[in-house]
Amino acid sequence: MSQKCSARTKLGNECRAAAVMGTQFCALHGNPERAAELGRMGGLKNRHYIETEPVNITLPSTAEDVKNVMGQAMVDVRAKKLDPRIAMALTSMSRVLLEAFQTADLQKRVKRLEQARATAERFQEPLPPAADSGSD
């Protein structure tokens, strides 16, 4: 009959696994690096995305550019070329970028209106005094 592993679990209980012949520990407690490697191998099997070359995205400078990037991200998620978590991060950043575009556009419009008003005020001559109609 084989002995039990003499190690303790993280909760402080005795390990119930059988000890490896000639040692006092089970396979995982005797070689903790093996446990990490087995976990890594299991995690790699759960990935269902195609490893592709890194994609360089140019800085979107218009709402149309953002629309194109998001459209491509949707296609890549559907084709399992892009992790949905990365697509969610792109979505969040795109929202902020679109709001920044709107703010910048409003600032430009306000500046143009202020310049037009200043120009109009500068060239507007004061009205001449009203002439008496002689009705006294």
Side-chain angles (χ1 to χ4, degrees), residues 3 6 8 17-18 21 24 26 32 36 47 51 57 62 65 68-69 71 79 82 105 109 113 118-120 128 132 136:
Q3 294 179 331
S6 61
R8 296 236 175 233
M21 294 283 272
Q24 58 182 356
C26 66
R47 294 196 180 147
E51 292 295 327
I57 299 173
T62 64
D65 292 345
N68 293 336
V69 168
L82 180 65
D105 288 344
R109 290 174 65 187
L113 287 171
T119 302
D132 284 339
D136 291 310

Side-chain angles (χ1 to χ4, degrees), residues 2 16 18 49 54 63-64 133:
S2 64
R16 297 183 299 176
Y49 299 98
E64 183 74 18
S133 62

